[in-house]
Amino acid sequence: MSNSTEFEVFYDGDCPLCKREINLLKRWDKQQRIQFTNIAAEDFSAEEIGIPFEDLMAEIYGRLPDGSTVKGVEVFRQLYSAVGFSWLVGLSRIPGISHLLNFGYRVFARNRLRFTGRCNKESCEV
């Protein structure tokens, strides 16, 4: 992660829905607080960050400036905070809403390939 960024997100650049959200966040990231790392890029190495590639494909991950990692809905909270939507992040932490978001994200993450038309003949698993 570069010195000027506040958060690094590891995203699947081959996922159409993921790319759409990342492109939106890139437009909103006027102060370049986020480092966007495409795990589908040919030059990406999961070993360099210490998270197995299968884990990165199964769920979205992010890295904080201190090197600690977060995953799932917390990644989106960090991203939206970085682009100035802290009020939305606050709402996402309300009990009930938080549980619903976590559940919804888990369903999406488990079915991402199916939802985005990327299943192959043998499997539809990440």
Side-chain angles (χ1 to χ4, degrees):
M1 185 164 36
S2 73
N3 291 337
S4 64
T5 59
E6 296 175 9
F7 190 71
E8 181 176 14
V9 60
F10 302 99
Y11 72 97
D12 178 4
D14 287 341
C15 168
L17 291 173
C18 307
K19 271 188 357 188
R20 183 175 295 143
E21 177 123 11
I22 291 299
N23 287 336
L24 183 64
L25 286 161
K26 283 179 178 180
R27 284 195 302 272
W28 288 341
D29 188 24
K30 305 281 189 220
Q31 296 179 3
Q32 298 182 341
R33 293 181 169 155
I34 303 167
Q35 180 177 329
F36 299 91
T37 302
N38 180 358
I39 65 171
E42 287 185 30
D43 63 344
F44 175 75
S45 171
E47 293 80 30
E48 289 179 16
I49 60 166
I51 301 171
F53 185 73
E54 295 77 22
D55 291 355
L56 292 166
M57 284 296 289
E59 189 168 12
I60 194 167
Y61 277 78
R63 183 167 43 189
L64 298 163
D66 68 2
S68 62
T69 59
V70 294
K71 63 183 181 175
V73 173
E74 186 58 33
V75 172
F76 295 101
R77 288 181 179 122
Q78 294 292 324
L79 291 168
Y80 281 84
S81 286
V83 297
F85 289 100
S86 295
W87 63 271
L88 188 60
V89 172
L91 290 175
S92 78
R93 294 188 188 282
I94 295 172
I97 293 174
S98 176
H99 298 321
L100 184 61
L101 289 172
N102 287 325
F103 174 78
Y105 178 74
R106 281 192 303 273
V107 169
F108 171 77
R110 256 184 266 132
N111 295 286
R112 180 168 54 89
L113 296 181
R114 183 176 297 110
F115 291 159
T116 60
R118 296 185 329 163
C119 294
N120 61 37
K121 292 178 184 179
E122 296 83 36
S123 173
C124 199
E125 296 181 11
V126 174

